[in-house]
Amino acid sequence: MAAALPHRRLGGSEIEVSRIALGSWRTFERMPRADAERLLAHALERGIDFLDDARYDDETGKAPIPTGYSEVLFGELLRAVGADPAALTISNKLWWEFWPGQDAIGEVEASLQRMGLDRLGLLYSSTLPADVPVPVAVEQIAAVLATGRVGAWAVVNWSAADLAAATLEAERAAIPPPCAAQLPYSLARTDWVEDAAMDDALAAAGASLIPSAALAGGALSGKYADGAAGRLSDELDDPRRAAALQLGASLRRPAAALGTTPATLAIAFTLLHPRTAATLIGATTPAQIDAAIDAVPLAQRLTPGDVAELRSLAHSRLSAGALFTGGSVLPRDAAEDYLRTRNRRMVTAPDRVLLTGSRSILARPGEE
């Protein structure tokens, strides 16, 4: 019988979650219903009790509603496999997309109705639009918490400055600070999480980390080096994917030495961050669920030398002229083309390379 999946508490909340969380972005609605039920049932059987859903716009052209069918389907799958929502931590997101016509309570209520649930264990606030400043967002979230329909709140892809501000605003509003931050974190991208300002903000909130994009969209699975097909099959020639794909291929050697796979090794790396409560994964097969769960014991046996080797390998692959843009790694020549076509220049800062426009290309210190 498989060992029980360990749990960690989310920040200062009372919520304890499995160390692997299962997301639903671009998965269930793209699968045959029977396969989706089998996948969810397998995850629950293996001990995953942290499930992340959200309202997504339909990309298949087959959904009966243009947005939110992801939530409808998620609720139907839960009922089909006989899951008890009260025994799970189910999360959803505030997108603020229809603000101010729809406030936070209205958005949450609409999501719960589509999911067929009475309550969420965790509510994430996604990145705030310009017309929703942090004080307003916290006031809105306080109103949601007062309804009793949500157990705790967290943030997704927030800046360190906004997270720090939210912690102060939460104190003024007499609500707990965000208990977690879901942020991109992987061997291919450590900058957002390992930034000193972000670490300070997480510490001030007492918030846990929920790494997302742990496999860099699947690039770190290493499977594309072996000719396998997957979500990135149509993007293998995209320069924004090149460095991460090369890193994924390079992970095959240390993974083999450890008796594991590149995907499991890459996920294990994210679990080693001291603030990580659970790493968020996407999966379309039970085998992918198993590979992610295997990362939990693997993380416990990785030595400091193993981790140093992984970081060195990542640095060698990503620093060979690689810059970050959004959630992707962009080789230097492609980055320069990107800048030229947008008539922008790079300005060196201590820990990143900034564009003179509204977006930034992140890099390691000294790169310009």
Side-chain angles (χ1 to χ4, degrees):
M1 183 176 180
L5 196 56
H7 284 63
R8 287 275 180 92
R9 188 180 299 274
L10 288 180
S13 76
E14 297 299 316
I15 301 172
E16 293 194 355
V17 296
S18 55
R19 299 224 63 202
I20 299 297
L22 179 62
S24 60
W25 184 53
R26 290 181 168 178
T27 52
F28 294 134
E29 70 270 26
R30 296 167 181 254
M31 301 170 63
R33 177 65 66 98
D35 290 349
E37 291 179 9
R38 194 157 34 246
L39 179 73
L40 181 57
H42 185 74
L44 296 174
E45 289 167 2
R46 290 299 316 270
I48 294 178
D49 58 20
F50 188 8
L51 305 178
D52 188 27
D53 193 37
R55 175 182 60 80
Y56 300 120
D57 293 340
D58 176 50
E59 297 179 340
T60 68
K62 301 176 181 178
I65 53 178
T67 186
Y69 184 64
S70 52
E71 296 171 312
V72 174
L73 179 57
F74 179 83
E76 291 176 351
L77 292 174
L78 280 178
R79 291 183 285 277
V81 301
D84 177 10
L88 306 171
T89 297
I90 298 173
S91 60
N92 206 316
K93 296 179 177 69
L94 279 174
W95 295 119
W96 309 98
E97 184 177 359
F98 305 115
W99 173 271
Q102 183 186 58
D103 63 8
I105 290 178
E107 187 172 354
V108 170
E109 291 294 336
S111 288
L112 287 171
Q113 182 177 19
R114 284 188 291 268
M115 299 169 83
L117 298 177
D118 296 324
R119 191 174 185 273
L120 293 172
L122 183 68
L123 177 66
Y124 286 110
S125 170
S126 190
T127 309
L128 299 177
D131 57 347
V132 183
V134 171
V136 171
V138 172
E139 179 183 9
Q140 286 286 305
I141 290 166
V144 173
L145 292 174
T147 67
R149 302 273 264 172
V150 168
W153 74 288
V155 300
V156 175
N157 296 346
W158 279 34
S159 67
D162 280 354
L163 176 56
T167 298
L168 295 175
E169 290 297 331
E171 184 176 3
R172 294 190 186 101
I175 64 170
C179 67
Q182 186 185 118
L183 301 171
Y185 185 60
S186 71
L187 278 166
R189 182 172 190 184
T190 60
D191 61 291
W192 199 327
V193 168
E194 295 184 1
D195 173 73
M198 178 58 75
D199 191 64
D200 289 344
L202 289 168
S208 296
L209 172 67
I210 308 295
S212 63
L215 295 181
L220 300 187
S221 68
K223 66 182 182 180
Y224 296 101
D226 297 321
R231 186 177 294 175
L232 297 184
S233 293
D234 295 333
E235 302 178 45
L236 299 183
D237 295 327
D238 188 331
R240 293 172 297 179
R241 300 289 189 183
L245 287 165
Q246 291 169 12
L247 176 56
S250 299
L251 288 177
R252 292 179 297 174
R253 180 185 56 78
L258 290 163
T260 188
T261 66
T264 298
L265 183 57
I267 294 170
F269 171 81
T270 68
L271 290 167
L272 287 173
H273 192 285
R275 298 195 189 280
T276 297
T279 292
L280 178 65
I281 66 159
T284 55
T285 67
Q288 291 172 340
I289 296 285
D290 293 339
I293 291 175
D294 286 345
V296 178
L298 176 62
Q300 295 174 339
R301 64 183 178 91
L302 289 177
T303 67
D306 293 329
V307 177
E309 180 184 1
L310 291 175
R311 286 187 177 274
S312 177
L313 184 62
H315 179 75
S316 68
R317 293 297 180 270
L318 301 176
S319 64
L323 298 175
F324 290 102
T325 174
S328 305
V329 180
L330 199 63
R332 176 171 293 281
D333 56 353
E336 291 171 347
D337 289 341
Y338 174 91
L339 292 169
R340 263 195 304 274
T341 60
R342 289 156 179 80
N343 194 29
R344 296 176 179 175
R345 61 188 179 86
M346 288 185 283
V347 181
T348 302
D351 64 345
R352 63 190 61 206
V353 175
L354 301 176
L355 299 185
T356 55
S358 61
R359 295 185 60 188
S360 63
I361 288 183
L362 307 180
R364 281 150 299 285
E367 291 194 7
E368 57 179 320

